[in-house]
Amino acid sequence: MAIAGDANLRCFPQPNPVDAVRWLPTVSSLRRFAAVAVHDPDSSSSAIEVHALNPGPNLLLRSSHAIPSRISALRFSPTPQKPLLAAAATSAGSLHLLSIDPLEGSIDSELSVGDIGFSTGAVADVDGQAEGREWVSVGEDGRVNLVVVGDGRLEWRRVFDSKGLVEYSAVRWASPAEFATGGLGFGLQWWDQRKPGGAVAHFKGNWARGNTVGMVHSIDIHPSRKHICVAGASSGTVFAWDLRWQHRPLLLSGVSTGDTVQPASESEVWEVRYDSHIQPSSVGTGPTRILPVMMCSEDGILAVLQQGEEPVELLAEPCAINGFDIDPQNPSDVICALEWEMIGILPRSKETSTAS
Amino acid sequence: MPGRASDPGNSLVPFSPEVRDPVVYPIRHGIKTPLFRVFVSWSHGNLLNVACLQASPPESNAAAGTAESEVNIGGKVVEVRLGDGDGEINEAQRRRIAYGSVPAFAMLQSRRNSLSMMSRMASSSFRNEWWRHVLEYSNQIKDLLGTPRLPSSSVIEDPKMVLQQIEEPTSLKVAWELMEIFYVDKQSSAWLPERLVDWLADYDCILAKTEPAIYSKLVNLQKKIVNIQVIEDDPEYWDGISSALAVGWLDVVVKLLRLHGSYQLDQLGNRETENGLVEAVAVLVSTMPRMRADVPTGKLGQCYKTKPDFVKAWEKWRGHITKLECSAFWVQCGHRQTREGLRNLLQIMLGNIKNLTTSTCHWMELYISHFLFIRPFSMGLEGMYSLAQKCMQLKPSSNSSGLIGVFMGILGGNTEVVLAECSKAFGPWMVAHAMELLMATDDHADILLHEERYNLGGISMEELYRLIYAQVLSSHPLTWQIAPTYLASCSKQGLGLLEVLLYRQSAHNYRVTLKNLEICRLYELENISECIMKIAGVYYWKHGRRGSGIHWLQQAHDEVRLNRIAQQLFDCIGKSISDDSFKQWEGLVELLGSEVGTAGGLEFLHKYRDFKRSLHLVHDKKAVDAARQTVESLVQLMRSPSTPRRFWLPLLHDSVHLLNWQGRPLLNVSETTLLLSKLQELSMAKLHPDFSDFDLPPQALATVRLALAKNLRQAILEES
Amino acid sequence: MERVVATLEKGAQCCGWSHGGRRLAVGHADGAVSVHDSSDPSTRASARWMAHTCGVINVVWIPPEFGDAIACVCADGALSLWDEIGQDAQAVTWKMCKFFEGTGSQVLDVQFGVSLTTLRMVAAYSDGHVKVYESMDPLELNKWQLQAEFQNVIDSVSRFGKPSCVSASIAWSPCRGENQQSSFVLGYNSDLSQFNSPKIWEFEEAHQRWVPVAELALPGDKGDRVHAVAWALNIGRPYEVVAVATCKGIAIWHVGLNPESDGRLSTEKVALLAGHDGEVWQLDWDMSGMTLASTGADGMVRLWQSNLNGVWHEQAALECNGVQH
């Protein structure tokens, strides 16, 4: 266990545990904000907070908005706009859409949906289309719902209900009509709204060895390669699934029979993101090559993975890193949620942007 | 009360260290007494659930004069967290300290393990090395307890700013530092008195909160000097200087002296002698010989690392003081306050006990002043102890804080008292972490804390205190995850408690469950991880999340339950079920997979489904082809290793009418023999306890056997 | 130090916490049962239903490997088992999965233990009989088989009169190991002295029967009515610890791990703790087996510990009967 984390990591202790962190998509380069999902187990209260990041650096709480139950996922619509739209999914099965002023960092309004028809279990993940008008949510109850911002309220329709046979823990849009979901057994599903009735493609990884449940926790899809999704899962597994070669997943980290890629971690990979800060190494750049991916894990690792290369470890913390986000406008800056009630901000220098 | 212990030994904390009248905490539940019943249940760690149920009042009274809402209340359930420690540090801070001490503690343990592995031959070399590691550990912990005091960084100093306002240290930090001074830092043991002088600088701020102390005196003076014109006329000025000098805050003394009016340019001319005296004293103060490694920037005095050098310088310095004391210039000094004030300072520097006593407020200050001006050398603990007692008599203090208890325990050389006082004043965190300090250089403490005691269930005190701390950590959902680090360092009962702790975690949130499984993986607790997955699997299965249920049970290798699930699926086959249920069924068959050992995997269920379907086609006695096909799939099923043995009899029983086929036998000799041997195996296995019957008629086995025998006879005839 | 986690309705008369202490089941005088989740900040019950037509006097949770399920003992001596079930991810409900009618004698206490992978239930009846049932299904709790029936007496040959028992206390040995013998301790509060003293019963695989391996009473105290028993978790002690409450106080017993030559376990009474003014209602050990909590008719919760020298004493007390504001 490392005695202390990276010297560059700035830690900001919080009075309560941090469940998720996101950079606000910025509209002005002068103001930077981070949205944080917090939970107080003593009072069983949860909230979304917006913190301003000032030079120093320090974090200053700008606004806080109570959410009735613990937040399981927090996402922004990717387009910087005014107001910004963020969706928070909760473990009680509700979805909350917040509009946030990108200049003031204030949370202005909320729409929510949470009836029993919508969900009977925790909503595990949510993802929004570019403008934030349309969101897809998946849950532990095996329901996939499409949520659309209607006239002053949220409207939703059921895309699929597995009736408890399959559970979903991650979701990500690939295109206006397609999205990918993930769940148990290193499972990934590809959905096309134009083809209703179920997923159009399935994948189940066979890396499960010993006592691992092989759960996919996070998916990312790069806008330039919409046919590939990368997934972070149990046992330090990060893999890419290419729709064109559905039976040949590419392991970026983890252990499988036959083909072992040095795992960056051995425990749950909580989140994966394409890392736009790192320029992929010149060798073999092509449409088939997987772009650099950042991951964080239960054993405190934050690392960048590149196909066919050793993982580059950015952090090795003594506690779990439960989630992170790369600033879309300043991709050198990473914000992460640390298990020990801290927010960490890791600025990366320009030199690290080209992987060796 | 009878039965209460009379033995005054140390107790198991975390509530209090010694046997005495139990502390009684009132529980504020807000319901009317008398109570009908009180129920309790321990949750995690020291968390106690208490339910207070109200005795139901007679119906007539209930309605009269009570609010509707109160009438309907029958009881309250409260959660009580015991042994929480003191209020000096709030919850969030306490958790931060708990988190921060994990890496330091883990590192020290792993160092101990690797060092003791290497130096098993020479334990003396282990000792010589060890304290350095403990010192590093101690420094890491100290950083957590508060930011270190830094010398002023501003270039232009305000001359009137004599006292640096510092972040107030916590008594926890001060106590920690005290133990480090006495138990760990071997290197500076020769400079112990000077380390205590430094220590007092921190401690005095804390003392000042409850009692008169020099620190508060100086804070008041600081406020005053900004507004005073002729400072040297003010008795408080001289009082402050002498107090600061008595406890060795030389920089404060010199700064204050330089504020003396005689330094002002317009005064220099007519107060030359006076100024000369002030300056002479200031120089003497700032050149005071000190036996220590170095003097931090901004602090004054001249360092001497070895005793002979120091003694030489000390004698010389005292000579200078005596000379100044006898100087004729005093007569020429017209300002009475200055004359008296300065001579008082000289007396302090000469170690005049009377002057020291009047200049100090608290006995601890007086005690420290002894080390500066009377006995500047290290002495044995016994000597220090009796000196402390003497000082206490000279300046009795009404308030005896836990810290003083720790201090006296250290001087008394009694490890148990130190631990008990630490526990009482600072709680289980302190005890669990400070033990490392106590054992760093003290062999006696090492033996005492490592001795296994039958009364404690065969564990040592070290393990006990770690278990107690782990219990405290377990009491909170945010800190229980760091308890394993401490439990892993407990060789006898640590893993036992860890198993209980993990077993008691709720399985309702998969993220939490995965975090628990990660702990199981780290500590190789495979039994518990299977148990956790089993609990999760059953929970999901029963709560309608069948996919997850099967998945978790598979990971738990829970063949008993998977068999049962397979059996439930098995029961569905052949029955007329709706399309929706059939889809559900197929989905479950899919999920069950084919890898689950004997649990009746995919292959079997698919084959079985085909078999059942074709069996349905054989209703017509003339459908020979269909019958033949069905028998073929029956034989295949019976041959297949993926067919669980428990299904053999139902399979055969289902096919009895095929075995009894009118006309030519459907099975040849070898096939019949195979089925008979399977049947034989089955009847032997029936003795086995885990053999479980389906809802078959009791004579099923006999019927099948009879049919097979008949078939065999026919087949032999046919083939011969 | 304390916080209110649930408010109970009028008529609440018994409480049982789930294994991890996160869920609470409450039995009511009108036969209703409610379940409260402490993770839920609202103090309302998460479920409430009518379990019996007369008052519920005891609720006991079933080990978590068998789901979230409870047993309810009813004032008329009937016993019902309830299982929390959700179909196809629909909202969960509590369903009755088994009903044991109170025929002749009443069920006084019931406790569950797991041996190997089998769930066992011990029920103590008002006529001094003890019945051990085994669950026949690892997933559902609807099929039970009577595995053994005996009286809580050491001498099984002699004939005793029929006792009339007011209450019974059972505690399973909390060890959970694959090769652990399954055993429990049982004591009665009855008018027939032979039945009262707590006996440790152990299942003898070889002969498929339950045998008493220890009696937790000194010769002069055997007839003392037992109000409560509690078996401490053993995380590595070389002996087991069992607490027994009688009218004389709370006795702490050390019980040997392995049988002596006569097949009995060695026992030693290490402390007798008196503090409760009146009857002791309940005993509970913490998860390390180091602290014992007791409740009694004096409205106090008392916490007991042993010190470094093995001397037991009252460490702290919680006053529940105080003046309330």
Side-chain angles (χ1 to χ4, degrees):
Chain A
M1 196 183 286
I3 195 83
D6 187 278
N8 291 326
L9 178 75
R10 302 295 185 126
C11 284
F12 301 97
Q14 302 294 305
N16 284 309
V18 178
D19 288 335
V21 284
R22 297 285 172 234
W23 290 107
L24 258 63
T26 37
V27 289
S28 148
S29 56
L30 295 173
R31 288 158 194 258
R32 299 181 72 193
F33 297 103
V36 182
V38 294
H39 173 71
D40 177 1
D42 288 330
S43 66
S44 298
S45 59
S46 301
I48 301 280
E49 294 176 352
V50 176
H51 293 254
L53 179 69
N54 298 325
N58 66 62
L59 278 181
L60 207 69
L61 180 65
R62 290 301 284 263
S63 55
S64 175
H65 184 88
I67 299 288
S69 51
R70 191 159 188 172
I71 295 148
S72 46
L74 175 64
R75 289 273 190 189
F76 276 88
S77 63
T79 313
Q81 57 190 355
K82 192 175 186 300
L84 290 168
L85 290 175
T90 72
S91 56
S94 59
L95 190 73
H96 306 261
L97 194 73
L98 308 175
S99 83
I100 298 173
D101 186 319
L103 293 170
E104 295 300 320
S106 58
I107 300 170
D108 296 334
S109 71
E110 181 200 322
L111 298 174
S112 71
V113 56
D115 53 290
I116 192 103
F118 179 73
S119 170
T120 55
V123 176
D125 201 5
V126 60
D127 194 32
Q129 289 278 22
E131 305 288 322
R133 294 283 136 206
E134 203 176 31
W135 298 81
V136 60
S137 78
V138 293
E140 288 174 3
D141 54 358
R143 291 182 184 177
V144 181
N145 291 322
L146 206 65
V147 180
V148 181
V149 184
D151 190 15
R153 62 195 193 95
L154 291 181
E155 285 159 10
W156 63 272
R157 74 177 172 84
R158 174 83 30 84
V159 176
F160 185 72
D161 186 353
S162 82
K163 297 202 159 68
L165 282 182
V166 186
E167 301 193 358
Y168 306 101
S169 45
V171 66
R172 199 86 173 133
W173 284 106
S175 72
E178 295 157 295
F179 57 89
T181 58
L184 284 167
F186 298 107
L188 289 176
Q189 300 84 24
W190 190 268
W191 306 76
D192 189 333
Q193 289 194 73
R194 294 160 298 195
K195 297 171 190 161
V200 292
H202 295 269
F203 171 75
K204 218 166 165 64
N206 57 352
W207 303 302
R209 66 200 149 87
N211 294 339
T212 170
V213 290
M215 189 177 279
V216 170
H217 299 298
S218 168
I219 299 175
D220 201 12
I221 295 173
H222 199 275
S224 73
R225 281 147 211 227
K226 295 186 171 171
H227 50 276
I228 300 174
C229 46
V230 291
S234 305
S235 308
T237 309
V238 177
F239 65 99
W241 182 46
D242 192 326
L243 276 182
R244 296 166 302 178
W245 296 285
Q246 290 182 17
H247 300 291
R248 281 166 44 203
L250 185 84
L251 205 58
L252 293 172
S253 162
V255 181
S256 82
T257 42
D259 118 79
T260 300
V261 176
Q262 191 193 351
S265 146
E266 284 182 54
S267 54
E268 306 298 323
V269 174
W270 293 123
E271 191 145 26
V272 286
R273 263 319 160 83
Y274 279 111
D275 185 6
S276 41
H277 178 60
I278 305 264
Q279 302 302 313
S281 36
S282 50
V283 268
T285 37
T288 54
R289 200 179 156 81
I290 309 299
L291 296 169
V293 173
M294 189 183 284
M295 52 84 85
C296 70
S297 71
E298 174 67 20
D299 52 2
I301 303 292
L302 184 75
V304 177
L305 308 171
Q306 291 222 69
Q307 188 180 344
E309 285 174 28
E310 300 255 303
V312 179
E313 208 169 84
L314 300 178
L315 292 177
E317 291 299 300
C319 67
I321 302 178
N322 289 325
F324 72 91
D325 194 25
I326 300 170
D327 189 344
Q329 274 74 37
N330 303 289
S332 62
D333 290 359
V334 183
I335 188 166
C336 48
L338 299 168
E339 177 83 13
W340 289 348
E341 300 171 64
M342 280 187 286
I343 296 171
I345 292 181
L346 180 72
R348 289 183 285 174
S349 60
K350 289 285 173 281
E351 292 90 76
T352 57
S353 66
T354 45
S356 55
Chain B
M1 282 177 223
R4 178 104 59 68
S6 52
D7 190 316
N10 292 320
S11 75
L12 292 192
V13 224
F15 310 118
S16 82
E18 54 210 34
V19 175
R20 50 179 184 186
D21 277 349
V23 191
V24 176
Y25 305 101
I27 297 288
R28 292 175 299 266
H29 45 67
I31 67 162
K32 283 217 180 74
T33 50
L35 298 177
F36 162 66
R37 217 54 205 266
V38 179
F39 288 90
V40 290
S41 169
W42 288 99
S43 182
H44 304 235
N46 298 326
L47 215 55
L48 185 69
N49 288 314
V50 181
C52 300
L53 305 187
Q54 195 174 347
S56 46
E59 282 305 315
S60 53
N61 288 6
T66 6
E68 178 77 18
S69 61
E70 264 182 63
V71 172
N72 286 326
I73 291 176
K76 289 265 186 185
V77 184
V78 294
E79 188 184 77
V80 184
R81 191 168 293 155
L82 296 152
D84 239 6
D86 63 319
E88 186 193 29
I89 295 170
N90 70 32
E91 271 297 311
Q93 266 175 313
R94 201 199 308 275
R95 289 204 299 271
R96 213 159 294 147
I97 292 171
Y99 297 143
S101 26
V102 173
F105 181 82
M107 172 71 93
L108 190 70
Q109 299 312 316
S110 85
R111 281 202 173 137
R112 188 204 307 276
N113 292 342
S114 56
L115 263 181
S116 63
M117 211 105 80
M118 281 192 314
S119 60
R120 195 165 287 158
M121 311 291 173
S123 64
S124 61
S125 72
F126 172 81
R127 271 258 167 264
N128 291 337
E129 274 303 301
W130 182 240
W131 70 269
R132 287 176 203 279
H133 296 301
V134 180
L135 186 61
E136 196 185 320
Y137 156 84
S138 175
N139 284 327
Q140 286 164 357
I141 300 281
K142 227 163 46 183
D143 286 348
L144 284 172
L145 302 180
T147 42
R149 284 174 302 142
L150 296 170
S152 160
S153 54
S154 65
V155 186
I156 308 155
E157 276 190 53
D158 178 0
K160 287 200 166 178
M161 200 63 188
V162 291
L163 194 71
Q164 296 234 344
Q165 291 289 339
I166 51 162
E167 189 191 329
E168 271 189 20
T170 59
S171 51
L172 187 62
K173 185 189 177 201
V174 171
W176 184 272
E177 215 158 6
L178 193 63
M179 276 190 273
E180 181 190 284
I181 292 169
F182 278 97
Y183 293 110
V184 189
D185 199 351
K186 258 187 170 176
Q187 212 157 33
S188 61
S189 58
W191 310 318
L192 184 70
E194 282 283 347
R195 288 216 58 186
L196 287 175
V197 171
D198 291 351
W199 173 79
L200 181 76
D202 265 351
Y203 177 51
D204 220 54
C205 310
I206 296 170
L207 261 186
K209 278 189 237 170
T210 51
E211 280 167 275
I214 292 174
Y215 180 77
S216 37
K217 205 190 257 185
L218 289 173
V219 169
N220 292 337
L221 180 60
Q222 171 77 65
K223 282 180 203 148
K224 211 170 170 182
I225 49 179
V226 189
N227 306 320
I228 295 183
Q229 287 304 315
V230 190
I231 199 164
E232 59 271 23
D233 288 350
D234 194 327
E236 267 187 56
Y237 169 72
W238 292 106
D239 189 32
I241 295 179
S242 65
S243 289
L245 180 64
V247 289
W249 302 345
L250 306 185
D251 54 324
V252 177
V253 176
V254 171
K255 267 189 185 168
L256 281 170
L257 282 177
R258 298 256 157 89
L259 293 175
H260 193 273
S262 65
Y263 280 96
Q264 284 172 19
L265 289 175
D266 58 333
Q267 307 264 319
L268 267 178
N270 49 10
R271 296 173 75 177
E272 208 171 340
T273 315
E274 194 183 338
N275 182 251
L277 284 168
V278 174
E279 183 57 23
V281 172
V283 167
L284 278 174
V285 167
S286 56
T287 55
M288 177 179 172
R290 309 184 72 166
M291 196 160 73
R292 57 188 294 156
D294 53 18
V295 171
T297 16
K299 304 284 169 193
L300 301 172
Q302 288 195 319
C303 288
Y304 296 93
K305 287 185 189 175
T306 62
K307 199 169 169 182
D309 290 350
F310 171 76
V311 172
K312 221 188 278 171
W314 175 259
E315 295 302 335
K316 206 170 143 197
W317 180 69
R318 301 263 287 212
H320 286 310
I321 299 170
T322 324
K323 222 159 108 193
L324 183 61
E325 163 80 328
C326 308
S327 153
F329 288 113
W330 296 110
V331 194
Q332 296 171 30
C333 176
H335 195 255
R336 183 185 55 84
Q337 285 98 326
T338 302
R339 197 173 59 234
E340 284 174 5
L342 290 177
R343 294 185 84 163
N344 181 33
L345 295 184
L346 293 182
Q347 284 307 312
I348 287 173
M349 286 194 276
L350 288 170
N352 187 324
I353 183 76
K354 210 183 98 229
N355 300 59
L356 285 174
T357 313
T358 33
S359 299
T360 49
C361 308
H362 191 264
W363 73 261
M364 186 65 87
E365 293 164 353
L366 176 62
Y367 184 62
I368 296 299
S369 72
H370 269 79
F371 295 117
L372 278 163
F373 302 106
I374 300 178
R375 302 156 83 174
F377 310 111
S378 295
M379 52 174 123
L381 281 180
E382 270 174 57
M384 292 180 80
Y385 187 78
S386 56
L387 178 60
Q389 283 190 317
K390 195 182 117 195
C391 292
M392 269 195 252
Q393 275 163 11
L394 284 168
K395 284 191 179 289
S397 161
S398 55
N399 188 346
S400 87
S401 70
L403 216 144
I404 299 293
V406 174
F407 190 76
M408 293 313 283
I410 292 173
L411 296 184
N414 189 334
T415 312
E416 277 162 301
V417 171
V418 174
L419 284 175
E421 291 289 345
C422 274
S423 159
K424 192 163 68 177
F426 306 106
W429 175 87
M430 181 63 155
V431 182
H433 289 88
M435 276 190 303
E436 301 296 342
L437 307 185
L438 288 172
M439 293 184 294
T441 55
D442 183 347
D443 287 325
H444 169 72
D446 192 81
I447 292 164
L448 179 87
L449 290 172
H450 282 126
E451 181 196 338
E452 286 173 4
R453 291 153 192 252
Y454 180 81
N455 286 330
L456 300 180
I459 57 171
S460 62
M461 275 167 75
E462 179 192 62
E463 182 159 346
L464 174 73
Y465 286 123
R466 285 182 185 164
L467 290 175
I468 287 168
Y469 178 55
Q471 283 255 74
V472 171
L473 291 175
S474 312
S475 315
H476 198 278
L478 293 176
T479 53
W480 83 264
Q481 279 189 64
I482 58 179
T485 306
Y486 294 89
L487 291 172
S489 70
C490 299
S491 58
K492 295 245 160 171
Q493 301 189 352
L495 288 185
L497 190 56
L498 180 54
E499 289 190 3
V500 175
L501 179 59
L502 286 164
Y503 182 63
R504 288 193 166 204
Q505 296 300 317
S506 140
H508 299 187
N509 180 321
Y510 78 87
R511 247 180 123 93
V512 173
T513 311
L514 289 174
K515 281 175 186 275
N516 295 352
L517 291 175
E518 171 71 5
I519 294 170
C520 294
R521 187 181 70 84
L522 284 175
Y523 297 100
E524 294 170 354
L525 302 171
E526 268 163 40
N527 283 341
I528 289 294
S529 86
E530 286 195 356
C531 192
I532 290 171
M533 292 195 275
K534 236 176 241 190
I535 293 173
V538 171
Y539 176 82
Y540 292 139
W541 175 262
K542 288 202 174 186
H543 284 78
R545 293 160 64 179
R546 307 212 146 191
S548 277
I550 289 180
H551 195 89
W552 287 88
L553 288 173
Q554 279 172 339
Q555 299 311 319
H557 306 293
D558 189 344
E559 303 204 342
V560 177
R561 289 191 179 81
L562 286 170
N563 265 327
R564 184 68 193 94
I565 290 172
Q567 197 182 317
Q568 283 186 2
L569 296 181
F570 177 95
D571 293 344
C572 288
I573 308 175
K575 289 176 187 162
S576 59
I577 48 171
S578 66
D579 279 1
D580 239 20
S581 312
F582 188 72
K583 259 192 186 160
Q584 178 87 3
W585 180 83
E586 271 193 320
L588 288 171
V589 170
E590 188 86 24
L591 282 168
L592 219 42
S594 52
E595 281 167 29
V596 200
T598 60
L602 184 65
E603 191 193 349
F604 160 70
L605 276 163
H606 276 276
K607 274 188 190 156
Y608 182 78
R609 182 184 55 185
D610 298 342
F611 162 73
K612 268 283 205 188
R613 273 185 184 160
S614 66
L615 198 62
H616 273 278
L617 297 175
V618 199
H619 286 312
D620 187 355
K621 290 263 164 16
K622 280 169 269 175
V624 183
D625 284 346
R628 199 163 285 283
Q629 219 164 30
T630 313
V631 164
E632 252 168 53
S633 53
L634 170 71
V635 171
Q636 255 185 25
L637 270 171
M638 294 298 287
R639 270 208 184 111
S640 164
S642 72
T643 305
R645 196 162 62 178
R646 53 192 296 130
F647 295 147
W648 288 354
L649 190 58
L651 276 170
L652 290 168
H653 191 252
D654 273 346
S655 332
V656 164
H657 67 283
L658 295 177
L659 304 178
N660 284 326
W661 195 256
Q662 296 298 323
R664 285 183 56 179
L666 296 173
L667 293 149
N668 64 26
V669 176
S670 67
E671 285 167 340
T672 322
T673 323
L674 170 88
L675 297 189
L676 271 170
S677 70
K678 296 273 181 191
L679 203 63
Q680 182 62 21
E681 208 181 316
L682 211 56
S683 27
M684 306 212 1
K686 193 157 186 190
L687 299 172
H688 198 264
D690 68 19
F691 180 88
S692 142
D693 275 282
F694 291 87
D695 301 324
L696 292 174
Q699 72 281 12
L701 196 70
T703 320
V704 172
R705 186 176 283 131
L706 191 69
L708 279 174
K710 210 164 103 192
N711 196 294
L712 182 64
R713 197 185 61 220
Q714 281 190 337
I716 290 172
L717 285 173
E718 189 97 351
E719 282 172 39
S720 58
Chain C
M1 192 180 82
E2 84 254 29
R3 65 180 183 125
V4 173
V5 291
T7 302
L8 307 181
E9 275 176 54
K10 197 179 142 191
Q13 55 177 19
C14 59
C15 290
W17 278 268
S18 69
H19 187 70
R22 296 250 157 82
R23 310 191 81 187
L24 167 67
V26 182
H28 297 260
D30 60 355
V33 172
S34 57
V35 173
H36 302 253
D37 294 311
S38 67
S39 58
D40 191 347
S42 76
T43 48
R44 293 250 307 281
S46 64
R48 187 185 196 279
W49 70 95
M50 293 302 290
H52 288 270
T53 45
C54 59
V56 176
I57 54 166
N58 199 357
V59 278
V60 179
W61 288 79
I62 286 165
E65 292 93 326
F66 297 86
D68 283 19
I70 55 168
C72 302
V73 180
C74 180
D76 65 5
L79 170 68
S80 59
L81 304 185
W82 298 81
D83 203 356
E84 193 184 45
I85 294 201
Q87 274 293 324
D88 302 342
Q90 274 152 22
V92 291
T93 50
W94 286 84
K95 287 194 175 131
M96 183 159 81
C97 45
K98 183 72 184 173
F99 185 75
F100 296 87
E101 224 157 312
T103 46
S105 56
Q106 298 180 349
V107 177
L108 297 175
D109 191 16
V110 59
Q111 290 294 332
F112 296 85
V114 183
S115 64
L116 297 173
T117 52
T118 314
L119 178 63
R120 282 183 175 152
M121 172 173 80
V122 178
Y125 287 80
S126 55
D127 58 0
H129 276 251
V130 182
K131 288 183 187 171
V132 183
Y133 292 90
E134 257 183 17
S135 168
M136 303 306 291
D137 190 318
L139 275 176
E140 272 150 52
L141 302 165
N142 53 357
K143 293 197 195 91
W144 291 85
Q145 192 177 54
L146 182 64
Q147 190 224 12
E149 182 173 359
F150 47 89
Q151 291 180 308
N152 191 41
V153 290
I154 291 283
D155 178 4
S156 57
V157 185
S158 314
R159 285 245 155 250
F160 300 102
K162 193 176 164 204
S164 152
C165 308
V166 184
S167 68
S169 312
I170 311 167
W172 280 87
S173 149
C175 347
R176 291 170 305 101
E178 292 289 301
N179 18 9
Q180 276 293 339
Q181 292 291 344
S182 94
S183 50
F184 62 86
V185 60
L186 193 157
Y188 269 113
N189 172 1
S190 80
D191 58 357
L192 216 60
S193 64
Q194 290 91 338
F195 285 78
N196 285 348
S197 69
K199 287 126 196 138
I200 295 179
W201 295 89
E202 193 169 280
F203 189 64
E204 214 178 62
E205 286 290 340
H207 300 101
Q208 292 285 302
R209 59 172 189 161
W210 290 88
V211 287
V213 289
E215 186 175 13
L216 302 182
L218 296 179
D221 303 333
K222 291 198 179 184
D224 291 351
R225 289 166 178 259
V226 172
H227 298 300
V229 293
W231 195 316
L233 268 159
N234 187 354
I235 54 172
R237 261 183 271 107
Y239 47 83
E240 295 288 331
V241 178
V242 179
V244 176
T246 64
C247 52
K248 288 179 180 144
I250 301 165
I252 306 287
W253 289 84
H254 283 188
V255 181
L257 295 181
N258 296 307
E260 321 240 280
S261 52
D262 60 353
R264 295 296 193 87
L265 299 175
S266 64
T267 58
E268 186 196 353
K269 182 171 165 180
V270 295
L272 179 66
L273 309 166
H276 279 292
D277 184 13
E279 187 186 320
V280 174
W281 282 334
Q282 194 205 348
L283 298 172
D284 196 42
W285 287 99
D286 75 335
M287 67 180 214
S288 63
M290 289 198 264
T291 309
L292 175 72
S294 63
T295 67
D298 54 358
M300 300 290 280
V301 177
R302 298 186 189 275
L303 303 168
W304 311 88
Q305 285 184 337
S306 151
N307 68 10
L308 294 179
N309 302 316
V311 178
W312 284 84
H313 58 98
E314 185 178 353
Q315 190 66 49
L318 308 175
E319 158 88 74
C320 301
N321 243 346
V323 181
Q324 302 299 329
H325 298 286

